[in-house]
């Protein structure tokens, strides 16, 4: 599959992807970002139970996590479009049927089962996009420009994820308020049909070599090495941070009589976080990945500690801005490390495992934080983001100690 490097290798990445690739890949992420929140909002409004809503949202997350690595492995073996077209269509159909299930007299168990099915068919657009961009950079970009292009591309991909994570819930809130609680799910279904299919069939999908066109794939056990597991645990911490922050913030604002303002304030953190994720691209190469992770994790933990104290809406808003500065760059750095450490022929699998860890943590932490806010207190729930940040910090510290040894053994020795 590796063609001789074309003479156009001095051209920028967008020349190789085509102009429409990035907008399509961005919109194709939205159904995924809207699913968990949309399901939660719909179940709470129709069935009138926050607990069932949290469980349903977690059920979507569990489906995503079970299917993610499997879909990644299939994409690595047979090519992305063969995997993404059927899953995107199935996901659109299941989303379209979900409001009917929730509205019917069906038992809660059936609602949960359909939520799991929605998760199982969740299109892993973000992971597939990273894997395509990495293949394009390796295949078409001049070697002396690869590292710089790679760090910019990973910064963009993470910022796109973050923006989707923020816009998704925001769109859900707006549609549910203006149209009806089923509207966000219907919109996600439509986006899944159109944009996931467009992304699946985009010519860039053919750049990633499939199993038959390249050497041996590294065995799956390579993903269980400490250098990979540490990244999975850290990304899990970031997901738990997102979920517990959104849920505790909603509870905090509900106490003040404006629960819908929670999503808007979360947007403040998300926007700051996405802007800083992009800013990572301009950090000097001397500021190595292992130090980046350690420093941004410290910042994340410190700001989450300040958040747990709560106080007024103004102080919480200021602290959310600081939390954004920590979380965006931490996530970019984790995905960049994963890009360097991915075992041979396993980039889609690696990226889907990380994306799954992020989603699972988000779903679980939302459910747990919601239950704690309801049964114990909002103050207790506001401690959870600091706990999640501590996981990221611990992994950052472990990586700081071992990264040199881990990366010397790996496919590339980038400190």
């Amino acid at each position: 599959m590796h063609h001789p490097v074309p003479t156009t290798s001095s051209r920028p990445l967008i020349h190789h992807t085509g102009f429409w690739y990035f907008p399509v890949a961005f919109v194709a992420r939205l159904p995924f970002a809207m699913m968990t929140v949309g399901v939660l909002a719909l179940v709470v409004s129709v069935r009138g139970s926050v607990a069932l809503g949290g469980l349903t949202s977690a059920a979507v997350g569990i489906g995503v996590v079970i299917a993610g690595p499997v879909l990644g492995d299939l994409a690595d073996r047979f090519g992305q479009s063969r995997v993404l077209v059927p899953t995107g269509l199935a996901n659109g159909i299941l989303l379209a049927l979900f409001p009917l299930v929730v509205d019917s007299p069906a038992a809660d168990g059936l609602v949960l089962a359909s939520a799991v099915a929605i998760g199982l068919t969740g299109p892993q657009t973000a992971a597939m996009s990273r894997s395509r961009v990495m293949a394009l950079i390796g295949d078409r970009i001049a070697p002396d420009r690869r590292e710089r292009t790679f760090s910019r591309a990973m910064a963009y991909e993470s910022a796109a994820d973050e923006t989707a994570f923020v816009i998704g819930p925001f769109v859900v809130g707006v549609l549910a308020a203006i149209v009806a609680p089923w509207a966000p799910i219907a919109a996600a279904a439509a986006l899944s049909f159109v944009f996931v299919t467009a992304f699946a069939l985009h010519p860039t999908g053919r750049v990633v070599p499939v199993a038959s066109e390249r050497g041996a794939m590294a065995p799956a056990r390579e993903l269980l090495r400490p250098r990979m597991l540490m990244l999975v645990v850290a990304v899990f911490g970031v997901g738990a941070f997102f979920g517990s922050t959104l849920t505790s913030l909603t509870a905090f604002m509900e106490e003040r009589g404006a629960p819908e303002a929670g999503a808007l304030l979360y947007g403040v953190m998300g926007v700051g976080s996405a802007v800083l994720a992009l800013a990572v691209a301009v950090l000097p190469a001397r500021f190595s990945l292992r130090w980046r992770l350690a420093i941004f994790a410290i910042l994340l933990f410190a700001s989450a500690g300040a958040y747990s104290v709560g106080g007024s809406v103004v102080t919480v808003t200021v602290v959310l801005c600081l939390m954004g500065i920590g979380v965006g760059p931490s996530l970019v750095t984790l995905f960049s490390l994963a890009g360097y450490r991915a075992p041979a022929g396993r980039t889609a699998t690696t990226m889907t495992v990380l994306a799954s860890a992020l989603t699972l943590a988000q779903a679980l932490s939302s459910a747990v934080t919601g239950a704690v806010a309801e049964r114990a207190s909002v103050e207790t729930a506001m401690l959870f983001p600091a706990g999640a940040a501590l996981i990221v910090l611990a992994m950052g510290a472990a990586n700081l100690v071992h990264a040199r040894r881990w990366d010397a053994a790996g496919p590339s020795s980038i400190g």
Side-chain angles (χ1 to χ4, degrees):
M1 182 71 189
H2 277 281
H3 317 293
V5 177
T7 44
T8 55
S9 62
S10 59
R11 297 204 174 167
L13 182 62
I14 197 152
H15 169 80
H16 302 292
T17 58
F19 175 73
W20 285 107
Y21 174 73
F22 289 105
V24 167
F26 177 73
V27 180
R29 282 171 155 88
L30 289 175
F32 198 81
M34 290 165 70
M35 280 180 341
T36 39
V37 191
V39 162
L40 175 77
L42 180 67
V43 172
V44 172
S45 77
V46 175
R47 297 267 168 139
S49 160
V50 176
L52 180 64
L55 276 175
T56 315
S57 185
V60 174
I62 288 162
V64 168
V65 172
I66 295 169
V70 178
L71 293 173
D73 186 64
L74 290 171
D76 276 334
R77 285 171 198 279
F78 304 111
Q80 291 191 5
S81 57
R82 285 184 186 172
V83 177
L84 274 172
V85 173
T87 47
L89 294 175
N91 188 250
I93 294 165
L94 288 163
L95 282 169
L97 293 172
F98 187 71
L100 303 175
V101 176
V102 179
D103 224 4
S104 72
D108 291 352
L110 189 64
V111 173
L112 292 173
S114 12
V116 173
I118 288 173
L120 287 172
T121 54
Q124 301 270 347
T125 323
M128 303 288 180
S129 178
R130 280 193 173 88
S131 159
R132 281 185 198 189
V133 168
M134 282 165 60
L136 268 172
I137 291 170
D139 209 30
R140 312 268 174 91
I141 300 285
D144 58 319
R145 290 175 50 248
R146 263 179 217 159
E147 194 168 327
R148 187 102 186 114
T149 309
F150 177 76
S151 97
R152 284 184 179 165
M154 286 297 120
Y156 166 76
E157 291 286 328
S158 293
D161 276 351
E162 301 248 354
T163 315
F165 267 131
V166 173
I167 290 178
F170 186 72
V171 171
V172 168
V174 171
L175 286 174
I178 294 176
V179 188
W182 54 262
I185 296 287
L191 290 174
S192 212
F193 280 128
V194 179
F195 283 91
V196 174
T197 311
F199 173 78
L201 297 173
H202 193 277
T204 50
R206 293 194 288 275
V207 178
V208 186
V210 294
S212 58
E213 298 171 332
R214 55 149 186 259
M217 277 168 88
R221 65 167 185 275
E222 286 290 319
L223 293 166
L224 299 174
R225 293 281 164 96
R227 66 205 198 104
M228 297 309 293
L229 286 176
M230 165 259 135
L231 297 174
V232 176
V233 175
V235 168
F236 186 89
V238 173
F241 176 83
F242 281 133
S244 58
T245 304
L246 178 59
T247 314
S248 61
L249 192 58
T250 305
F252 175 77
M253 292 312 292
E254 193 172 36
E255 274 196 334
R256 281 149 188 77
E260 63 288 345
L264 294 176
L265 279 182
Y266 182 68
V268 169
M269 180 186 90
V271 170
S273 168
V275 169
L276 272 134
L278 283 172
V280 169
V282 299
L283 290 174
R286 287 193 312 279
F287 186 13
S288 67
L289 291 175
R290 59 204 184 97
W291 279 107
R292 278 181 207 183
L293 182 58
I295 286 164
F296 288 115
I298 290 169
L299 190 63
L300 184 63
F301 179 63
S303 54
Y307 172 80
S308 67
V309 181
S312 69
V313 176
V314 178
T315 43
V316 167
T317 310
V318 172
V319 170
L320 283 167
C321 293
L322 292 172
M323 284 158 82
I325 297 175
V327 76
S330 297
L331 195 60
V332 179
T333 308
L334 287 165
F335 273 107
S336 296
L337 281 165
Y340 289 127
R341 291 178 185 174
R346 292 259 178 203
T347 51
T349 318
T350 304
M351 294 302 171
T352 45
V353 167
L354 289 190
S356 298
L358 195 68
T359 308
L360 175 68
Q362 215 172 359
L364 290 178
S365 65
S366 296
V368 173
T369 312
V372 168
E374 215 166 272
R375 300 202 180 114
S377 70
V378 174
E379 289 71 38
T380 316
M382 289 178 80
L383 294 169
F384 281 61
L390 190 57
I391 297 175
V392 183
L393 182 57
M395 292 302 108
N399 187 60
L400 192 59
V401 174
H402 297 293
R404 285 231 158 120
R405 185 168 54 82
W406 286 343
D407 291 336
S412 63
S413 51
I414 294 162

